[in-house]
Amino acid sequence: MKRLLCLLFAAMSLSGCSLLKVSVSTGDPLPRRDAETRLMTRGFYYDLSSEVSRTADSIVAVSPDLSVRLAAIRWKIRVTRVAVSAAMQSIPEVALADMWILCRRMDDAFSATPDSLLFGPHSGLARRTAAQLERRIDKLARETLAGERYGWMMEFVDRFVKEHPVTEQGVEPVNTTLAWIEFLRGKGVEPDFATGSIAEVLADVNDRVSGQTQQLANTVGWSKEMLEMEWRQESLRAEVGARLDSLERDLNRMVLVAEHLPEMSDRMMAGLNGEVAQLVDTMNSLVDNAFYDFERQRRELQSYVTQEREALVGQLRRSAEELIASVLDAVPGLVGKILFYVVLALVVLIGGPFALGFWLGGVRQRLKQKDRE
């Protein structure tokens, strides 16, 4: 009885101090290892984009071959587009594994492909860049992953590259989320699906939007550069120049013949008219073909921009759904805490005075009995 009274008095004293606080849970933050993995992987993505772009620009600057220059630009477009999708995934270890697979495939493909199918005499620049990126991602994984996790990921990357070969420059979109989860479960490890706190989720969404937006802007700029290169190709100017040279020679012959044989002037003029008409037809045909190619590439570019925009909107929608799910998961705990404090307050405010009055009444009754005795 005395213990119960002591507990009631302690509860009454605490309830009178207005310590009932309500706070909304912001979710559990990512483990330090996962947060560091995400930060280092995305930092490596920006370095990879810079290195590939710089190497491709160097090939474009020194190569006189139009096909080589166009191939270099297509290479940096494909690599950066695949890399941003891999690095911006929500699971940090999956993002690191996909970036590692991208670098390994690119290095293997460049080592096995002859110069004629890459960038001609400048293929060595691309090979050195691919090998350097593969060594850097290996070092990053070794420094970031703890314990045997690095060995597991190396085994996973080796196995995945062998089982899923690619054919063109080692650049191909890949998502190993399910494969990595099954691999870990095969090792007896249950993967962690934590999304992090609300602040981390918002920061993740901001990184994704920023990375996809920058990639889209770069792709549009590089595609425009390819169009300009194709427009300025030498074949068009060479053919027009050849036609003009032929016209000049005909004019010179006509002047020479007209000076000595006036009766041939009419026939020469007829020939000149034919040459001029042929030249005009050729130029019209070339211009029409050039504008047709430009329109076709513009439609392809518009289709690509539309697809990228839809992908970005889909990622934003999924991120919003994950954020709402995290908030809704925190609601039951909050409601439970509120109900607990409400019940505790009712017990203290109602049961406490009642028990105290009952006890005081008993004490007073015993005192009256003693007085009567």
Side-chain angles (χ1 to χ4, degrees):
M1 184 65 180
K2 291 182 179 180
R3 292 181 179 178
L4 177 60
L5 291 175
C6 291
L7 291 174
L8 290 175
F9 277 121
M12 289 177 63
S13 62
L14 290 175
S15 64
C17 296
S18 301
L19 293 178
L20 181 61
K21 296 182 179 179
V22 178
S23 61
V24 178
S25 175
T26 59
D28 297 328
L30 282 175
R32 178 180 177 84
R33 175 175 56 83
D34 289 346
E36 182 179 359
T37 301
R38 172 179 290 176
L39 179 63
M40 298 299 289
T41 302
R42 293 184 179 179
F44 176 78
Y45 153 70
Y46 290 113
D47 290 345
L48 179 144
S49 299
S50 299
E51 289 294 331
V52 171
S53 299
R54 186 160 43 247
T55 303
D57 292 341
S58 299
I59 294 174
V60 171
V62 299
S63 176
D65 190 351
L66 176 64
S67 61
V68 171
R69 298 201 301 270
L70 294 178
I73 297 177
R74 292 192 189 98
W75 171 52
K76 69 179 178 180
I77 290 177
R78 287 197 298 266
V79 170
T80 54
R81 183 167 53 195
V82 173
V84 71
S85 299
M88 298 302 167
Q89 296 187 75
S90 58
I91 302 178
E93 287 188 345
V94 174
L96 178 59
D98 287 358
M99 290 293 289
W100 197 348
I101 291 171
L102 170 63
C103 294
R104 175 71 64 80
R105 281 176 160 180
M106 185 166 59
D107 184 31
D108 292 346
F110 279 11
S111 300
T113 305
D115 293 351
S116 59
L117 299 180
L118 285 177
F119 311 109
H122 311 290
S123 301
L125 296 175
R127 290 195 180 95
R128 284 193 294 271
T129 299
Q132 180 184 6
L133 291 174
E134 207 281 330
R135 289 193 297 269
R136 288 186 57 185
I137 192 66
D138 189 333
K139 180 181 178 182
L140 186 146
R142 185 184 300 109
E143 295 174 351
T144 304
L145 300 176
E148 57 185 356
R149 208 80 171 187
Y150 167 73
W152 289 351
M153 184 167 289
M154 176 181 287
E155 178 184 352
F156 172 76
V157 170
D158 293 339
R159 181 187 305 176
F160 191 90
V161 171
K162 290 179 181 178
E163 294 176 353
H164 302 83
V166 293
T167 57
E168 185 178 4
Q169 296 185 359
V171 181
E172 183 177 284
V174 61
N175 189 309
T176 61
T177 301
L178 183 59
W180 175 246
I181 292 174
E182 292 175 351
F183 178 83
L184 289 181
R185 287 175 176 171
K187 297 292 184 180
V189 177
E190 187 64 26
D192 186 9
F193 299 103
T195 57
S197 63
I198 292 179
E200 290 174 331
V201 171
L202 292 177
D204 181 37
V205 172
N206 180 66
D207 286 346
R208 293 185 189 183
V209 173
S210 177
Q212 292 287 354
T213 302
Q214 182 63 37
Q215 171 62 25
L216 180 60
N218 290 339
T219 301
V220 172
W222 295 334
S223 300
K224 175 178 176 294
E225 185 179 355
M226 292 175 61
L227 292 176
E228 292 176 350
M229 286 183 182
E230 293 178 346
W231 179 257
R232 295 194 305 265
Q233 60 184 334
E234 294 296 332
S235 59
L236 179 63
R237 288 192 290 179
E239 186 170 356
V240 174
R243 291 292 182 179
L244 292 176
D245 292 340
S246 176
L247 178 61
E248 183 181 6
R249 288 193 298 269
D250 290 339
L251 288 173
N252 292 333
R253 286 198 301 268
M254 183 195 69
V255 171
L256 181 62
V257 174
E259 289 178 350
H260 297 85
L261 300 172
E263 64 276 9
M264 298 181 61
S265 297
D266 294 337
R267 284 182 291 176
M268 293 297 298
M269 289 299 298
L272 176 63
N273 290 335
E275 291 288 338
V276 171
Q278 186 179 3
L279 175 62
V280 171
D281 291 340
T282 301
M283 294 183 66
N284 288 336
S285 176
L286 292 175
V287 171
D288 290 341
N289 291 335
F291 276 102
Y292 174 77
D293 291 339
F294 182 78
E295 178 63 21
R296 177 180 57 80
Q297 293 172 358
R298 185 195 65 79
R299 289 196 299 268
E300 293 178 355
L301 179 61
Q302 182 65 33
S303 175
Y304 169 74
V305 171
T306 302
Q307 293 175 1
E308 291 294 331
R309 185 186 299 111
E310 292 176 354
L312 183 59
V313 171
Q315 289 184 354
L316 287 174
R317 185 180 297 109
R318 289 193 295 272
S319 299
E321 291 174 355
E322 293 175 1
L323 178 60
I324 293 173
S326 300
V327 174
L328 291 178
D329 291 341
V331 170
L334 174 63
V335 174
K337 290 182 181 179
I338 293 175
L339 291 177
F340 171 75
Y341 285 119
V342 169
V343 172
L344 181 61
L346 292 175
V347 170
V348 172
L349 296 176
I350 297 175
F354 175 78
L356 179 61
F358 181 79
W359 179 73
L360 292 176
V363 173
R364 183 178 181 184
Q365 186 65 29
R366 288 194 296 271
L367 291 176
K368 286 182 179 181
Q369 288 179 1
K370 287 183 181 182
D371 290 341
R372 284 196 296 268
E373 290 175 358

